[in-house]
Amino acid sequence: MIKKRRSSAWYGKHDKDGFIHRSWMKNQGFPDHAFDGRPVIGICNTWSELTPCNSGLRDLAEGVKRGVWEAGGFPVEFPVMSLGETQMKPTAMLFRNLLAMDVEESIRAYGIDGVVLLGGCDKTTPGQLMGAASVDLPTIVVSSGPMLNGKWKGKDIGSGTDVWKFSEAVRAGEMTLQDFMNAESGMSRSKGVCMTMGTASTMASVVEAMGMSLPTNAALPAVDSRRMALAHLTGKRIVEMVDEDIKPSDIMTREAFENAILANAAVGGSTNAVVHLLAMAGRVGVDLALDDFELGSEIPLLVNCMPSGKYLMEDFCYAGGMPVVLSKLAKHGHLRSTKTVLGGDIHAYADGAECYNDDVIQSFDSPVKPAAGLRVLRGNLAPRGAIIKPSAASDHLLEHEGEAYVFDSIEDMKANIDRDDLPVTADSILVLKGCGPKGYPGMPEVGNMPIPRRLITQGIKDMIRISDARMSGTAFGTVILHVSPEAQAGGPLALVKTGDRIRVSTSTGALELLISDTEMDARRASWQPDEPHYTRGYAKMYVDHVLQADKGADLDFLVGKDTRLVTRESH
Ligand code: FES
C-alpha cells in the first residue's frame, strides 16, 4: 500500500494535469517508476561559481542523489539564488531574505515531499533554513564544508582573520604589499567555506547542535571523501524522514535554539549567528529574544579556532568536531533534549564522541577562555540592544569611557580614517552610522572598522568601535555591533556627535551616551534620515519592510509560515 504523499497532487493524478506534470519531467529520461508514489526529494542547491565557498555543492548533490535512489526515493535537484559573501555588493546580507523567499516559494510550488538544503557560505545556510521552515516539509542540511587550512610561508593562515591582520600590518608598515598579494593564493587552497570559525562554520556548527544536519557535518573538510559519504547518508535519511513525517517545526524548538546559543559560545562562534538565529526562530514561531543570547555568556570557549583561538576547521575536524563539543556541553548539563533529523535525541550525537586533540577542543576545567558567549549591551545609545563578543575583544576595553569620534557614513569613514590629523587617541571610541539594515542597506560587515593609521603606526591594535553594522565572523576586536534601532531608523546612534562621551560596561551590559535627556530631545527634533539609496526593486521592498537587528532583520511579512498545499493548477 503506497502512502499518499504531497507529491501525489502533482505526479499521482490520472488526468490532464498529471500527464503534464509527469510527461515534461520524463523528457529528462526518468522512467515510469520514478512517479509510482515514492517520496520526491528536492535538492535545493546554492552552487554557483560566483559563490566560491559553495562550488563543491554540485558534487555533493550527486552524493545526495545516490542515497535518495538507494532508499527508494526520487531525487530532483533545483537551483536557488546563491549568495557569495566575498563577491556581492553592497552586501550579501541584503539578499539573505530574497534567498529565503526563493527557497520558500520553490519548495511550496513544486511537487516535493522533503528537502535537502545544500548551502555553506555565510548567508546561504540561514537563508535556506528560513525559507524551508516557512513551508515545513521534512528538511536536512548538508554544508559545503570548510576549505583546507590556509598555508603561507610554512605557517597556517586563516580565511578572513589573517586578511584583517595582514591588511593592518601593511598599513602599519610591517608587511610589504608584495607579500600581502602573495598570501592570497595560499589562503584559499581548496573548495569550501572559510576555514576559520567564521559565520559559515559557525552556522554549520549551530545547525548540527540543533539537530538539523547529520553529526559531523560542520567540520568535515569540503574535499574530504567522508563529506561525500555524509551527503549520501543524508539522501538516504531524508527519504525515511518523509515517511516518519519529521519536520523543521519538530526539530527547531525553543530547546534547539538554546542548544544553538550554548554551542555558539563553546565554539567561539560569529556574532552573525544572532541575527540569523533570531530570523530562523521567527519563521518557526519560537519566541527567541536578544537577551536569550546571554544564556551562553557563562559557557567557556572550548574550541581553539581563529578568530578567538589559533587553529582552523581542519584541525577541529581531526580533533573530533561538533560531537565532542556536544558531549562536553552534555557532561556539564548544558545540552537540552531535542529531536534531531535522525528521529532520536541530540544527546545521541554526543554519545561515544572522543577528543583526539585537547589543545584544539579544550575542557570546561581548562578552557581557551573562561566565558565566551556574546554579551548584550543596552542603554540610551541602544534601547533595543547591541552585542559584543568579549572572547574576540581586548580585556582592558571591556569597561571603558571615552570620547566619540563619529563617521556619518561608510564613505566618511573610508575618506578620513587614515588622515594624519584625525583627532583620536587609543581611548577614543569610533562611531559609525548608516550601516544598519535600512541605512546601508543590508547591514554589512563593516563594524570592525580599521584602526586609524596614526594610531596603528603607534602600535595601537585595538580600540572600541560602535556601529549599527555587523562584522565578519572571522574578525576580532572590541567591536560593539547591531546597535538597535539603527541610525537610519532614528535610533539614538543617529544623534551622537564627535566629542560626546560614551560609557561601555560589558560586566553590567551598559552602553550609555553621556548627554542629558534634554540635549538628546533637542538633537532628535532636528534629525532627518538620509535619502534612501534605492527607490525601486527588491532593495526598496527590503528597506520598506526590514525588521531591526534585534528581530533578526527578516522582512516583516515573512515572519511565520504557511504550510497549506497549493491546490490551483497552472493549466
Ligand atoms: Fe563564503 Fe566565508 S566567504 S564562507
Side-chain angles (χ1 to χ4, degrees):
M1 176 66 187
I2 293 171
K3 190 176 162 190
K4 191 164 168 62
R5 305 186 189 282
R6 180 180 187 272
S7 58
S8 70
W10 281 255
Y11 305 119
K13 295 162 109 178
H14 296 112
D15 58 9
K16 177 197 72 178
D17 297 322
F19 180 108
I20 291 172
H21 294 310
R22 286 185 301 273
S23 176
W24 267 259
M25 288 294 278
K26 284 180 177 178
N27 83 358
Q28 301 172 86
F30 294 122
D32 282 343
H33 72 262
F35 306 96
D36 64 1
R38 64 187 58 214
V40 179
I41 304 299
I43 302 171
C44 174
N45 202 342
T46 53
W47 173 90
S48 166
E49 287 181 341
L50 287 168
T51 308
C53 315
N54 292 8
S55 62
L57 291 178
R58 264 184 178 168
D59 296 338
L60 290 180
E62 295 307 314
V64 174
K65 286 177 194 173
R66 290 180 198 168
V68 172
W69 283 120
E70 183 187 344
F74 174 24
V76 280
E77 183 183 352
F78 62 96
V80 285
M81 185 182 194
S82 191
L83 309 179
E85 185 66 30
T86 52
Q87 311 298 319
M88 297 187 91
K89 295 183 180 185
T91 165
M93 181 64 174
L94 176 61
F95 306 106
R96 181 200 64 180
N97 302 338
L98 184 58
L99 167 62
M101 290 169 82
D102 185 352
V103 171
E104 175 179 347
E105 300 307 340
S106 294
I107 294 173
R108 182 174 293 116
Y110 285 115
I112 55 184
D113 301 298
V115 194
V116 177
L117 302 176
L118 297 186
C121 193
D122 297 15
K123 309 301 177 290
T124 53
T125 302
Q128 284 182 297
L129 270 168
M130 288 159 66
S134 285
V135 195
D136 208 24
L137 298 185
T139 301
I140 309 190
V141 171
V142 177
S143 303
S144 299
M147 287 186 259
L148 297 175
N149 286 3
K151 298 278 179 188
W152 186 65
K153 288 198 167 179
K155 289 199 186 112
D156 280 359
I157 56 171
S159 315
T161 304
D162 277 305
V163 181
W164 319 130
K165 284 190 180 154
F166 292 166
S167 164
E168 294 293 74
V170 171
R171 294 172 69 244
E174 296 163 358
M175 185 180 195
T176 67
L177 191 58
Q178 191 57 51
D179 270 355
F180 182 70
M181 308 286 278
N182 289 346
E184 275 177 21
S185 316
M187 186 166 283
S188 306
R189 297 191 305 121
S190 77
K191 291 179 178 176
V193 300
C194 294
M195 85 306 276
T196 43
M197 188 56 81
T199 305
S201 288
T202 295
M203 291 311 296
S205 298
V206 302
V207 161
E208 188 173 329
M210 294 177 84
M212 280 301 296
S213 70
L214 295 185
T216 73
N217 172 63
L220 276 173
V223 294
D224 193 310
S225 53
R226 290 171 293 178
R227 178 162 292 282
M228 189 66 167
L230 181 126
H232 185 132
L233 293 170
T234 302
K236 275 185 78 180
R237 179 59 198 153
I238 187 70
V239 175
E240 297 163 356
M241 277 176 74
V242 169
D243 281 333
E244 294 164 20
D245 199 26
I246 299 175
K247 302 182 294 297
S249 57
D250 300 315
I251 298 170
M252 294 166 67
T253 58
R254 167 92 204 172
E255 290 75 16
F257 280 100
E258 291 186 2
N259 284 341
I261 291 168
L262 294 162
N264 189 47
V267 303
S270 162
T271 47
N272 289 322
V274 177
V275 282
H276 298 325
L277 289 170
L278 288 168
M280 285 157 56
R283 298 304 187 101
V284 285
V286 168
D287 187 19
L288 198 69
L290 195 54
D291 289 333
D292 289 319
F293 285 81
E294 290 280 343
L295 193 61
S297 61
E298 299 308 319
I299 299 292
L301 177 62
L302 302 180
V303 177
N304 194 4
C305 275
M306 294 180 199
S308 297
K310 64 178 181 183
Y311 293 103
L312 295 167
M313 289 301 288
E314 206 183 327
D315 309 302
F316 180 41
C317 172
Y318 304 149
M322 278 308 287
V324 173
V325 174
L326 296 177
S327 76
K328 288 179 189 283
L329 287 169
K331 189 172 155 207
H332 290 268
H334 293 299
L335 191 65
R336 322 295 197 229
S337 281
T338 56
K339 194 172 192 160
T340 72
V341 289
L342 287 176
D345 189 87
I346 189 69
H347 285 82
Y349 283 30
D351 285 348
E354 225 178 300
C355 181
Y356 301 113
N357 188 328
D358 294 333
D359 197 37
V360 176
I361 309 177
Q362 301 196 3
S363 66
F364 266 70
D365 300 331
S366 171
V368 186
K369 290 189 182 174
L374 307 174
R375 292 304 311 263
V376 177
L377 306 179
R378 281 181 200 282
N380 68 350
L381 188 48
R384 284 168 53 181
I387 57 168
I388 185 168
K389 183 177 177 180
S391 68
S394 300
D395 289 344
H396 72 280
L397 291 172
L398 292 175
E399 309 291 322
H400 185 75
E401 184 183 317
E403 206 167 85
Y405 186 87
V406 176
F407 298 107
D408 285 321
S409 68
I410 190 74
E411 289 78 19
D412 180 14
M413 190 275 284
K414 290 195 170 175
N416 291 299
I417 191 85
D418 282 342
R419 255 175 42 207
D420 289 337
D421 62 344
L422 198 74
V424 290
T425 69
D427 287 333
S428 302
I429 295 178
L430 301 182
V431 174
L432 175 60
K433 304 177 181 178
C435 296
K438 289 178 188 291
Y440 202 73
M443 205 184 175
E445 296 184 337
V446 297
N448 54 316
M449 31 186 147
I451 304 297
R453 188 165 58 206
R454 60 171 296 213
L455 297 182
I456 209 161
T457 50
Q458 294 167 22
I460 308 297
K461 301 272 189 224
D462 195 12
M463 60 195 298
I464 295 187
R465 288 154 277 175
I466 301 176
S467 73
D468 43 14
R470 297 177 301 117
M471 78 169 174
S472 164
T474 62
F476 48 86
T478 312
V479 187
I480 296 168
L481 302 153
H482 306 195
V483 168
S484 185
E486 64 173 297
Q488 181 70 357
L493 187 71
L495 311 178
V496 186
K497 291 184 175 173
T498 293
D500 288 345
R501 293 192 73 76
I502 293 174
R503 184 185 303 138
V504 176
S505 171
T506 307
S507 62
T508 62
L511 181 57
E512 299 288 347
L513 178 61
L514 303 177
I515 61 172
S516 68
D517 291 348
T518 319
E519 173 65 14
M520 184 86 96
D521 290 345
R523 292 185 191 181
R524 185 171 286 117
S526 59
W527 174 79
Q528 289 288 332
D530 290 340
E531 284 297 309
H533 296 269
Y534 294 87
T535 54
R536 64 170 297 283
Y538 167 77
K540 172 162 172 39
M541 182 173 77
Y542 177 93
V543 169
D544 289 347
H545 291 279
V546 71
L547 298 170
Q548 289 294 286
D550 64 318
K551 301 289 180 196
D554 202 357
L555 301 185
D556 52 12
F557 59 84
L558 291 176
V559 175
K561 59 187 168 189
D562 181 353
T563 60
R564 292 172 301 169
L565 186 69
V566 180
T567 54
R568 289 182 174 174
E569 289 283 358
S570 58
H571 292 84

